[in-house]
Amino acid sequence: MTFYSDNTAPATPEVMAALNAANAGFAAPYGDDTATHGLNAAFSRLFETDVAVFPVPLGTAANGLLLSCLTRPWGVILANGAAHVLEDESTAPELFTDGARLVGLPGDRAKLDAATLRQRLVDWPWDFIHTAKPQALALTQSTEQGTVYTPDEVAALCDAAKAHGLKTMMDGARFANAVAHLGCAPADVTWRAGIDAMVFGVTKNGGMAAEAAVLFDRSLAEEFALRQKRAGQLISKMRYLSVQIAASIADDMWLKRAAHANAMATRLAAGLQAVPSVKLCHQPQANAVFVRMAPALADALSAAGWGFNPWRSLGQDSYRLVTAWNTPAETVDGFLAAVREQAAA
């Protein structure tokens, strides 16, 4: 009975079957296996362009490695002030980049807007040696408040960044949920909009422990490979990561799983909206619902065995509920019944 996070969900049957099938015989180590070699072609088909793909076991490491390829140690990485790389990865980006500075910019519902970014870059003291200079833009898709950038919004942000020479990356831990909401081609909201590299999330969408670093700018591939080895992220038995990633995108399973999680979030939000003592912070666009309710109500629900997290950035009475690829409708309805019962007590 948990809405803590999609990280609490199990791996999908497809991923477990792929791991079991890979667990036989011998395979070359360090990514020189058949499964890993096949990822470039599979993702090139998915994104309709030639890409270079590197499996990484952790999203934090994948983000850090990409940022280290886009930024020098003396550079600045711009992101929304609520971005995951800024608020939820400790100082890992600074570690991987050997000291690049993360700077948060304001934006409604954890999204940057192009006008704010453009003005900040125009006003930046580029000729002042004592001020670090922006070199990269990081976007979270979907955001830490469950909102989604449209292709036009991504394109406007990338245009503003590239006008000042910045490279662009997308933290796509919940990219599948964003694309399922948008209904667009993955290419439309990434490289066609100006994104140079991204983390394609697998773990939150039914993987066990695997993320795909996707390089649309293939000139970054050699440096990424060297940095991955240097950072201790080049896994010996890479096939076990690669088969998870391959199984997740086969037959559009990544979109189907994400669409279900999104639908359960929509169902949850609709039910909560009907409870007078619960207020939606905003309508969900992906698989996370943010609400305000009295702490006493939240405590009563927790005591009854329902799990969810406080979300203090939206206020002391705010909470986040996340649905997953396998969240049953019955669980959503059971929680809504509990909310109505406790609210009426």
Side-chain angles (χ1 to χ4, degrees), residues 159-170:
D159 286 347
K162 290 178 181 293
H164 292 270
L166 278 66
K167 291 287 191 178
T168 56
M169 69 86 68
M170 180 173 284

Side-chain angles (χ1 to χ4, degrees), residues 43-49 51 139 141 148-159 168 170 175 178-196 198 200 216 254-255:
F43 275 84
S44 294
R45 289 191 296 271
L46 181 65
F47 283 99
E48 305 173 64
T49 191
V51 300
L139 302 178
Q141 180 78 307
V148 172
Y149 288 101
T150 66
D152 286 346
E153 288 171 331
V154 175
L157 286 161
C158 289
D159 286 347
T168 56
M170 180 173 284
F175 180 72
V179 174
H181 169 76
L182 292 168
C184 67
D188 291 342
V189 74
T190 53
W191 67 270
R192 283 189 186 132
I195 294 294
D196 294 310
M198 73 170 296
F200 183 99
F216 304 112
W254 66 289
L255 275 180

